[in-house]
Amino acid sequence: MTDITDWDQFAEEVQKRCQDVFDKVWDELNRMANVLNDAASHFDWVGVLFPIPKLIWDGLTSDDVERAIDKFNNEIRPQLEKKAQEVVDDITKVVGTLAGDPPGLKKLSFDYASCREKLVYPTPSIQSEIQQLGKSWKGEAYAAYSLAAGEQVKAMSDAALGMERAADMTNKGAAKILQLWVDLNDKLIGGIVDLAKLLSDATTVDKILSFEIPVVISAIGDLIEFVQAIAKTLEDYWIGVGFQDQLDWIKLNNGATGLAHNTWPVIHPGEVDDISNPHDWGVVA
Amino acid sequence: MGDIGSFAVQSQELRQEGQEWHTRKQAVQGAHDLADNGVGKGYMFGYLANVAHLGEYHDHFVSAITEAFADGVKTFDYMSAALESAANAYDGVDSTAAESADHLKNRLPR
């Protein structure tokens, strides 16, 4: 399991893995080329001493080596180079869609949590304050005020609940993005190991000759499967997000959670009149 | 505005309550400023923002709640001023101490 904390680090890790793919492919291709060169040079040297049309060395004829070289130059190398480039392009494209900012989201989640702290008001409660004020202020103005005050303070606690949910979900989003990055990077590491193992089988001219259709196709198949595995990881995250986080965000977005409709409650105009205009206040005996 | 008479009132209680609303107003202003940090930041959800519209929902929510907090600040300002005004009116401290009803109403969000 890799440890990734931000996008730059993730991008750097992926770039490193892609470079590893290229390096492995180039290393193996160079190694195959060396095997063929060694075999070819052996025939060149023997051919000087014994200039006969067909020589046999280590169970191979010079034709076998030539065929292997042709196969390497015309099929194996171009196909592997092309496929490696395609796979890296695919990975780069997929990773390009994953840009996000988990540290930024974490910071936001802390801000939202601080919102909640500000809105959750310390004692005394508004109810006790209203009751206390009722001992000093009576009449229609006080009645209107007590009603409006209760609604207004409830708006604070409702909004606090919404901000608490927003803080939790923003933090969860940050954690999911980080996990997705780590999972993808780990898949890349695993895929490169498999690729290297496959290519390293071609250690002799014989094996390079037989490296044609089945093995190359298999290698390509593995690479495609590898990219598909990345797509599957993304799909799994989509399902997780689609059924859980999305619903929570929709509820918050439409005001079903927290402050109703995400709008601050308006004080009824009648209450405003009663509170604002001293001439409307009644005299209490 | 002069003394409006013999209401069962102790203006000190009104002033104290007015101060409470002023403190609450500051709390909501603080909440507004913190929530405002998230306006337009839905893109930070990256991939998740795209596949499930989380960035869009986040931005809509934060914009709405930030606007709501701004309305809350104005409403609490009104509550504070209304109680202070009532206290002044009861006291009859001088001819300008109590705000006019229209002036008070103008403090409310539109």
Side-chain angles (χ1 to χ4, degrees):
Chain A
M1 172 83 66
T2 47
D3 183 24
I4 296 172
T5 55
D6 59 42
W7 166 254
D8 288 342
Q9 193 186 354
F10 173 58
E12 195 178 316
E13 283 287 331
V14 169
Q15 196 177 19
K16 196 172 144 196
R17 303 303 163 208
C18 288
Q19 189 57 51
D20 285 350
V21 170
F22 277 121
D23 289 348
K24 288 289 177 196
V25 169
W26 301 162
D27 285 353
E28 293 303 328
L29 288 174
N30 281 335
R31 193 185 46 71
M32 286 184 218
N34 288 337
V35 168
L36 295 171
N37 280 335
D38 283 351
S41 64
H42 186 80
F43 279 107
D44 289 345
W45 178 78
V46 175
V48 171
L49 297 178
F50 307 101
I52 52 176
K54 289 215 172 185
L55 287 170
I56 297 177
W57 172 75
D58 202 19
L60 294 168
T61 67
S62 56
D63 284 352
D64 291 335
V65 176
E66 275 182 28
R67 277 198 301 121
I69 290 172
D70 285 347
K71 200 173 298 293
F72 176 78
N73 285 334
N74 300 326
E75 295 174 34
I76 297 173
R77 193 179 67 183
Q79 285 194 49
L80 279 180
E81 283 179 352
K82 183 170 175 277
K83 208 65 209 175
Q85 185 60 55
E86 279 177 13
V87 167
V88 167
D89 286 349
D90 283 351
I91 292 169
T92 306
K93 192 177 168 189
V94 167
V95 166
T97 65
L98 297 180
D101 187 356
L105 288 177
K106 276 195 178 292
K107 170 76 174 61
L108 280 186
S109 76
F110 296 155
D111 284 347
Y112 298 160
S114 297
C115 265
R116 181 202 172 274
E117 285 170 29
K118 286 195 177 295
L119 294 168
V120 174
Y121 207 71
T123 53
S125 70
I126 186 65
Q127 285 77 14
S128 59
E129 280 178 22
I130 292 169
Q131 195 177 12
Q132 206 61 31
L133 189 63
K135 293 176 184 172
S136 309
W137 193 24
K138 298 186 188 303
E140 287 181 12
Y142 168 73
Y145 164 78
S146 64
L147 191 62
E151 289 171 351
Q152 291 298 312
V153 171
K154 182 175 182 302
M156 285 181 86
S157 56
D158 287 349
L161 179 67
M163 294 314 293
E164 186 179 13
R165 292 293 299 133
D168 288 348
M169 281 158 20
T170 304
N171 197 287
K172 198 160 75 171
K176 280 193 172 170
I177 294 170
L178 277 177
Q179 189 59 53
L180 178 60
W181 289 355
V182 169
D183 287 355
L184 283 175
N185 194 47
D186 288 349
K187 271 191 193 304
L188 277 169
I189 293 170
I192 291 162
V193 170
D194 292 345
L195 176 68
K197 191 179 166 191
L198 193 67
L199 293 173
S200 63
D201 285 344
T203 51
T204 64
V205 174
D206 262 353
K207 287 184 176 174
I208 290 170
L209 270 174
S210 66
F211 194 77
E212 201 183 354
I213 301 303
V215 182
V216 171
I217 289 298
S218 172
I220 292 168
D222 281 6
L223 290 172
I224 289 170
E225 195 179 310
F226 167 57
V227 174
Q228 281 171 345
I230 291 177
K232 179 72 173 66
T233 301
L234 296 181
E235 191 179 73
D236 290 347
Y237 271 90
W238 189 91
I239 290 168
V241 167
F243 286 101
Q244 296 168 20
D245 298 19
Q246 191 181 34
L247 183 62
D248 289 340
W249 274 111
I250 287 172
K251 283 182 185 171
L252 201 54
N253 185 49
N254 64 20
T257 300
L259 186 64
H261 305 293
N262 294 322
T263 53
W264 203 264
V266 175
I267 303 176
H268 190 280
E271 291 169 6
V272 172
D273 284 341
D274 286 343
I275 297 170
S276 305
N277 193 343
H279 297 292
D280 289 340
W281 298 341
V283 177
V284 175
Chain B
M1 186 174 292
D3 188 340
I4 56 175
S6 57
F7 294 94
V9 63
Q10 293 173 7
S11 61
Q12 185 54 35
E13 291 289 338
L14 283 168
R15 291 187 200 288
Q16 194 176 325
E17 188 69 357
Q19 187 55 43
E20 288 293 336
W21 284 105
H22 181 72
T23 306
R24 286 194 177 92
K25 174 186 143 186
Q26 289 175 324
V28 177
Q29 180 67 56
H32 169 274
D33 295 347
L34 285 163
D36 192 53
N37 290 337
V39 171
K41 301 284 177 61
Y43 68 88
M44 287 182 172
F45 283 88
Y47 174 73
L48 304 182
N50 298 326
V51 296
H53 306 289
L54 293 198
E56 191 184 324
Y57 291 136
H58 169 274
D59 284 351
H60 282 168
F61 165 71
V62 173
S63 292
I65 201 73
T66 303
E67 206 171 305
F69 284 144
D71 286 348
V73 169
K74 287 178 186 167
T75 305
F76 285 14
D77 181 58
Y78 161 81
M79 295 292 268
S80 175
L83 292 178
E84 183 73 18
S85 175
N88 289 347
Y90 281 124
D91 280 353
V93 285
D94 59 45
S95 61
T96 59
E99 282 190 48
S100 72
D102 284 344
H103 196 269
L104 276 175
K105 287 176 190 174
N106 282 337
R107 290 177 180 265
L108 285 164
R110 295 176 187 280

